[in-house]
Amino acid sequence: MHAHPLALVKSIVDPIHGLVRMTRDEHEVMDHRLFQRLRRIKQNGLLHLVFPSATHNRFEHSLGALFVADSVLQALLFNSEANAGKLHPGDPADARPGEAVDLTELPEKVTRRLFTATRLAALVHDLGHGPLSHSFDAFAPPRRTIAALLDEPALAALAPLAPVLLAYPRHKQRSLDEPIAHEAMSCVFFAAIWHDLRARRPELEPWLPLAVAAALLGVDARDAIPDLTAVPAALRPWLPLVSDIVASAPVDADRMDYMERDSRSAGVSYGLFDRNRILKSALCYRDPERLAFRLGWKRSGLRAIEVFVQARFQLYAQIYFHKTNSAANLMLRRIAAASRALPGSPLFAGAADLASLLAVYCDLGDEQFVRVLADDPRLAAAPQIRELAARLDRRDLYKRIHEDADERALAAVHARLAAELEPADRERLVCDVSPLDATKDLGGGAALLRRGEDGRYTASGRQDTWLAASPILAALHQAERRIGRLFWAGPAAQAGALKERARALAEDGPEAT
């Protein structure tokens, strides 16, 4: 199949991918106010305080993720033709468990639906983020609020998904007072957008919000949904593939776009990789445990994937966990901790229906949110929030005074230095230990494929993991560590002397404690 299965009648120019072509439906989703609000949410929160050009936003990234997801699907079709004789011939449903399948054998209608669901899932995968992205999670509306709204007509399509949606992530029983996950909000927002579009164009497929939500919440979520009959039966086994394409380790559309976009926007080369070589190794295989289809990567593409994971490792170590960015994020986490002590969810206290909830999200961008934290009377009960927000607004950030990968040594310096300070100053000495997590989820995403004795590609089984197959990935995983730092939250003028004292205490060693 060399012609695109969808009518791409709209286009937008992207600085990373060039011309991003879109369907009419995708373009209308993009034009909706719930999507347009992503223009005011920076992709990397406060990273621009360190790298001034890192001002790109989640709107750009979402369009890029659509482009890359489409590229992966196109690669699966081309690679199916290029690997004729090495894949299961005929109907993919007849393939042996683990066997790679030929996507060109799909009926044209199923292929169109697969492209539609995958592209939309990629386009809206970050739709539920609030201002400052992950830092807003603690301020999100409680699960109880979303549970009450699922009866509204605009969200009716999500009804079969309600138990999974409210328990995400990891589908465990959770308190309804906990903030809702941003991934779940992405599903809610897309359902609301699609409902608005169908009010004008009732010919639009009513099952798409449920299919996209099942894909966004992952393979386990799809299996936990008791009733997917609203989604066409021929598409249901392909939803795990959609999940893998959009967001799964070691490589997915989300990561492929944000790594390159973040690198170029920040003005560094750490996150660059060979996307074409990676795509050349993409194949689809039948899940060994169920009648479903997943993303796999041929072993011949392992070197390119190693470079990809190394690039991600460097982005984390050099950019995302830069000491100044970590200081800003630490301050945001302390704001979030203070917010959890407040009764209810102050920002959404008046959100009695879906329209008012969506209005709160649409009114908040990054800058507006920081000002709300500093000035909103609903947060007056937590003066720490207002103080920290004001400091962020004027870039008066915590100062790093010591760093050590050895948590025991770091704790020793922290204890000894705190003992030398006045009691009132000890709270200003903040210890922050964060996991790097650049190689996480390598065991839970796409599979490594190898050719068997019959010459066909097959998922090799759990024993042939990415770490077992690649000494480089294993070394990166082993080298990955928790970054431990001491920050000074008091007047900046004192940071220099404290830094020198911390260095002297570290030279004495933890045994001196």
Side-chain angles (χ1 to χ4, degrees):
M1 180 179 295
H2 297 289
H4 202 286
L6 302 180
L8 305 179
V9 296
K10 300 287 187 178
S11 62
I12 189 167
V13 177
D14 178 76
I16 304 298
H17 307 299
L19 202 63
V20 178
R21 298 186 182 275
M22 309 176 75
T23 66
R24 175 189 176 189
D25 300 344
E26 293 161 356
H27 198 267
E28 290 188 1
V29 169
M30 182 197 72
D31 271 346
H32 194 280
R33 64 185 183 125
L34 278 172
F35 195 98
Q36 288 292 316
R37 57 178 278 278
L38 297 180
R39 292 181 184 272
R40 295 179 283 118
I41 298 175
K42 295 182 181 65
Q43 176 68 18
N44 295 122
L46 297 173
L47 186 65
H48 65 285
L49 297 180
V50 188
F51 298 91
S53 61
T55 56
H56 56 300
N57 53 51
R58 297 233 167 223
F59 180 92
E60 301 168 52
H61 165 61
S62 297
L63 296 180
L66 177 147
F67 178 92
V68 178
D70 184 87
S71 299
V72 175
L73 268 181
Q74 295 278 14
L76 289 172
L77 288 171
F78 287 125
N79 295 345
S80 291
E81 294 181 345
N83 289 276
K86 303 172 187 175
L87 313 174
H88 172 79
D91 189 346
D94 296 331
R96 299 191 311 271
E99 190 174 20
V101 299
D102 185 348
L103 258 64
T104 64
E105 293 289 340
L106 282 179
E108 182 181 352
K109 189 173 186 178
V110 177
T111 301
R112 286 202 311 271
R113 284 174 167 168
L114 177 58
F115 269 83
T116 297
T118 302
R119 288 170 59 95
L120 280 173
L123 182 64
V124 304
H125 78 284
D126 270 352
L127 195 54
H129 272 298
L132 299 177
S133 300
H134 295 283
S135 299
F136 186 79
D137 290 352
F139 290 89
R143 295 167 195 263
R144 185 183 309 280
T145 297
I146 304 305
L149 298 179
L150 290 177
D151 290 332
E152 294 208 20
L155 304 183
L158 299 180
L161 189 63
V164 178
L165 191 78
L166 296 174
Y168 189 87
R170 292 180 292 279
H171 325 304
K172 296 180 179 179
Q173 188 66 34
R174 296 179 180 277
S175 167
L176 289 177
D177 293 322
E178 289 184 40
I180 193 76
H182 68 266
E183 295 90 345
M185 286 306 299
S186 292
C187 303
V188 169
F189 287 171
F190 177 60
I193 290 174
W194 203 249
H195 179 266
D196 287 350
L197 297 188
R198 291 194 73 240
R200 302 193 308 271
R201 298 174 56 207
E203 74 275 10
L204 293 175
E205 300 283 11
W207 49 266
L208 266 166
L210 182 58
V212 167
L216 289 182
L217 299 183
V219 175
D220 293 337
R222 173 195 170 276
D223 290 344
I225 297 171
D227 182 11
L228 271 181
T229 54
V231 178
L235 179 62
R236 289 175 222 159
W238 298 95
L239 294 180
L241 175 64
V242 178
S243 298
D244 286 345
I245 290 173
V246 175
S248 74
V251 182
D252 55 46
D254 176 39
R255 297 180 192 194
M256 278 195 275
D257 180 77
Y258 80 64
M259 283 174 52
E260 185 170 2
R261 192 173 301 276
D262 292 356
S263 296
R264 296 192 184 282
S265 295
V268 301
S269 59
Y270 297 120
L272 303 183
F273 56 93
D274 188 348
R275 188 187 335 143
N276 289 331
R277 183 62 189 89
I278 290 175
L279 293 180
K280 188 178 178 181
S281 68
L283 288 174
C284 177
Y285 73 97
R286 178 178 172 178
D287 192 311
E289 300 177 3
R290 56 179 73 83
L291 180 55
F293 300 95
R294 306 289 303 272
L295 180 64
W297 302 98
K298 290 160 54 178
R299 196 177 179 89
S300 59
L302 182 58
R303 297 293 172 256
I305 290 174
E306 288 172 340
V307 171
F308 180 89
V309 177
Q310 285 178 288
R312 189 166 185 260
F313 184 96
Q314 292 296 338
L315 268 181
Y316 270 73
Q318 304 290 342
I319 304 300
Y320 304 143
F321 282 89
H322 184 283
K323 61 181 178 64
T324 307
N325 194 46
S326 292
N329 287 327
L330 173 59
M331 295 170 73
L332 285 170
R333 290 199 301 275
R334 299 192 89 186
I335 288 175
S339 75
R340 287 193 289 269
L342 297 175
S345 181
L347 294 180
F348 296 95
D353 54 23
L354 182 62
S356 56
L357 177 98
L358 301 184
V360 173
Y361 271 93
C362 287
D363 287 344
L364 288 177
D366 287 354
E367 286 75 17
Q368 295 94 326
F369 179 55
V370 171
R371 293 193 179 94
V372 164
L373 293 177
D375 302 328
D376 197 306
R378 291 171 294 182
L379 301 175
Q384 183 186 24
I385 291 179
R386 310 184 81 168
E387 177 192 352
L388 287 170
R391 290 187 62 172
L392 284 172
D393 197 36
R394 62 179 186 266
R395 202 182 180 277
D396 178 15
L397 306 179
Y398 292 172
K399 302 300 180 184
R400 183 199 63 174
I401 60 173
H402 189 62
E403 181 170 333
D404 200 319
D406 184 333
E407 291 185 49
R408 178 172 171 265
L410 183 71
V413 172
H414 184 195
R416 295 177 66 193
L417 189 57
E420 297 178 3
L421 295 174
E422 295 294 328
D425 283 338
R426 290 171 187 167
E427 292 184 0
R428 298 176 173 181
L429 192 62
V430 185
C431 186
D432 179 52
V433 179
S434 302
L436 203 58
D437 275 350
T439 61
K440 67 177 181 178
D441 301 331
L442 282 179
L448 184 65
L449 305 179
R450 66 166 74 237
R451 291 183 68 182
E453 295 181 359
D454 59 359
R456 294 180 185 172
Y457 284 105
T458 305
S460 306
R462 296 186 184 278
Q463 72 280 3
D464 192 14
T465 65
W466 292 99
L467 298 182
S470 168
I472 292 178
L473 296 184
L476 286 173
H477 187 69
Q478 182 67 27
E480 196 158 77
R481 57 185 174 84
R482 297 170 70 84
I483 298 178
R485 291 178 171 128
L486 279 183
F487 288 96
W488 173 243
Q494 300 177 26
L498 289 171
K499 185 174 183 179
E500 290 301 318
R501 183 58 185 149
R503 179 183 296 120
L505 292 172
E507 290 173 355
D508 290 343
E511 66 279 357
T513 304

